[in-house]
Amino acid sequence: MFQQLPLFILLATTLAPSLAFPSYAQGFEAREGPKAREGPKAREGPKAKEEFEARAAKIVLPTPQAYTGPKKIPDEHHPYRAPGPGDRRGPCPALNTLANHGYLPRNGIASLAELISANTEAFNLGYNFSSGVSALAILGRGNPFLDKVSIGGEHWMVPPLKERIDGVPGGLSKHGRFEGDISMTRQDAAFGDPAVFQPAMYENMLTYVDKFGDGDIVTDTVLAEYRQDIYTTSLANNPTLVWHAGRTGFSYGEAGFILNSFRNSRTGHLTRQEMTTFFTEERFPENWYRRESPLEFADVQRAVAAIRGPVYPAFAGAKNEEGVYVRDSLDNNPYFGTVCAVYYDLLVPNIAGVLLETKGQLRENVDVYLEEMFNLFRPFECPRMEPEGVAGL
Ligand code: HEM
Ligand SMILES: *[C@@H]1O[C@H](CO)[C@@H](O)[C@H](O)[C@H]1NC(C)=O
C-alpha cells in the first residue's frame, strides 16, 4: 500500500502528529481508518499557508486529439487490470472501464484534463461535452483546489476544501449533485447504495433486449421501454424521488450513451454481449472500435429524442413532503421548457455558492469549471450562470 502514497503522507503517518501538515489533508481519514483520524494537526501561520497554496493545481486543458475517427480500443498501452483494494470505482460504467484500462488513473482519482483526455480518446466523446460534464463532476463532488475527483467514494487524495467550506466531498458515488435517481443499473438512494451495480436490475434490462431488441442487438426501443418502466416504478415506490431537469437530461443522456458510445463502430451496433462486458466486467469488449466521430451535444440530444420520444412522456420533478410528485415548472426553474433548464438545474441550485467567495488558485479553478460548463450550453444561447446552492450537501 505504501508505495502508492506520496512522501508527505508517509511522513505524516509515521512521524509525530505535531509534524507540520496543511489542514486540507484531513481528508485521508477516509482511507486510513481510525488511527489516521486522530492524525496530523493543521499547522498555523504564513508558512503553512504558503505550503498549502503550493499544492494548488493549476488547470491545463489538454490539446484536442488530432485524429477523431474510429480506432481499436484499447490500444496496447491500456490493458485491462481488475481494480485493487484501494482503487475507487463508482456509478459510471464508462469511467470504471476507463480506470480498469488505465485511460484514467487506475486508483480512480482524476483531474479535469485526465477526464477529458480519457473520454475523448477511448470513447470519442466530444471535447466540449467531456469538458463540461467533467467540470460539473469536480465542482460538485471533487476538490476544485486540487482539481481532483474520485470516480467512486471518498479518498484521501480528494480531501475537503480548506475549512471544509463545502463539507466533505464524497466522490461521484455520493448521492446528489451528479449521482441521482432512476438509474438503469443502480438503485435509488432511498433503497441503498446508489453507486453499486445491481445484477438483478441488469437482468431485468436484458429482458427488454429479448422483447424489443433486434435479435441480440440493443435498439432505441429497448432503452425507451426499459427507461419508461423504471420511471413508473420509481414514481410509485420511491417516497423521496428527486428527478429534476438536470438529472432527467442525464438519465436519458446516459441511455443515449449506451446506444451511441458503447456501440462498436466496426460492426455498427451494440450487441447484448458487448453491453454485458461493459456493465458487468467494466472492460472493453474484444475487437471493439470507438465511434466514427466525436459525440457532441447535438448527437446526445438526437439520442435522447429517439429514446424519450413522444410516446412516453416522463416529467422532471420531485416528491414533496407529502410524497406527492411535483413536476418542474417556472416556479422552480426559470428556464423551464428549454435546454437552459438543464444548465440551470445542474449549476444554480446544485453547486455551492460559497465557491464564488474563494480567492487565488481555487477561485481561478472554479472559474475554469464554470467556463467549461457555460461553453457546453453556449450554442443554445443560455446566459452565463453561477452557483447559488448550499454548501456541505
Ligand atoms: C465525461 C465524463 C463522465 C462523467 C463525469 C460521468 C459520470 C457519471 C455519473 C456520476 C453517473 C451516475 C449517474 C446516475 O445514474 O445516478 C454516470 C452514469 C452513467 N454513465 Fe457516465 N460519466 C461520464 C462519461 C460517460 C461516458 C463517455 C459514457 C459512455 C460511454 C457514460 C455512460 C454512463 C451510463 C450508461 C450511465 C448510467 C448507468 C446506470 O444508469 O445504471 N458515461 N456517469
Ligand atoms: C466547442 O467550444 C468551442 C469554444 O467555445 C467552440 O468554438 C466550438 O465550436 C465548440 N464545438 C462544438 C462541437 O460545439
Side-chain angles (χ1 to χ4, degrees), residues 245-257:
R247 178 62 199 143
T248 306
F250 275 6
S251 299
Y252 281 97
E254 288 155 9
F257 275 2

Side-chain angles (χ1 to χ4, degrees), residues 314-336:
F315 300 98
K319 296 259 174 104
N320 66 14
E321 261 120 68
E322 284 89 54
V324 177
Y325 193 69
V326 180
R327 289 183 192 172
D328 281 1
S329 68
L330 285 172
D331 293 342
N332 73 327
N333 192 323
Y335 301 93
F336 178 73

Side-chain angles (χ1 to χ4, degrees), residues 91-95 119 123 125 130 133-134 137 172 178-180 183-186 247 254 257-258 261-262 279:
C92 178
L95 298 183
N119 280 286
F123 283 114
L125 194 60
S130 300
V133 173
S134 305
L172 292 177
F178 202 134
E179 195 296 315
S183 304
M184 293 168 280
T185 64
R186 270 73 174 165
R247 178 62 199 143
E254 288 155 9
F257 275 2
I258 294 177
S261 300
F262 285 162
F279 273 103

Side-chain angles (χ1 to χ4, degrees), residues 38-58:
E38 298 150 17
K41 279 244 172 60
R43 180 202 220 169
E44 306 297 332
K47 183 110 184 287
K49 187 157 181 282
E50 227 171 78
E51 282 170 13
F52 181 75
E53 286 294 332
R55 291 199 213 287
K58 189 171 168 54

Side-chain angles (χ1 to χ4, degrees), residues 15-134:
L15 301 182
S18 62
L19 187 83
F21 204 78
S23 61
Y24 77 80
Q26 290 155 339
F28 71 79
E29 66 191 25
R31 169 174 177 148
E32 297 300 323
K35 228 165 125 200
R37 208 160 285 159
E38 298 150 17
K41 279 244 172 60
R43 180 202 220 169
E44 306 297 332
K47 183 110 184 287
K49 187 157 181 282
E50 227 171 78
E51 282 170 13
F52 181 75
E53 286 294 332
R55 291 199 213 287
K58 189 171 168 54
I59 298 168
V60 182
L61 292 172
T63 322
Q65 45 182 358
Y67 172 72
T68 56
K71 67 174 172 184
K72 190 162 193 282
I73 301 290
D75 61 21
E76 77 247 29
H77 306 297
H78 296 92
Y80 171 84
R81 263 206 332 262
D87 297 337
R88 296 295 186 267
R89 298 293 181 267
C92 178
L95 298 183
N96 294 346
T97 301
L98 292 171
N100 287 343
H101 282 272
Y103 282 101
L104 282 175
R106 291 184 188 268
N107 63 5
I109 310 303
S111 67
L112 181 69
E114 286 166 341
L115 285 164
I116 298 172
S117 299
N119 280 286
T120 52
E121 182 179 359
F123 283 114
N124 212 359
L125 194 60
Y127 188 98
N128 296 4
F129 200 79
S130 300
S131 184
V133 173
S134 305

Side-chain angles (χ1 to χ4, degrees), residues 12 16 29 40 51 53 88 111 142 160 166 175 177 184 217 231 248 250 275 277 311 324 363 374 381:
E29 66 191 25
E51 282 170 13
E53 286 294 332
R88 296 295 186 267
S111 67
D166 186 27
H175 180 59
R177 291 191 176 158
M184 293 168 280
I217 295 169
Y231 168 71
T248 306
F250 275 6
M275 181 165 80
T277 305
V311 187
V324 177
R363 182 55 208 263
F374 173 53
E381 280 154 33

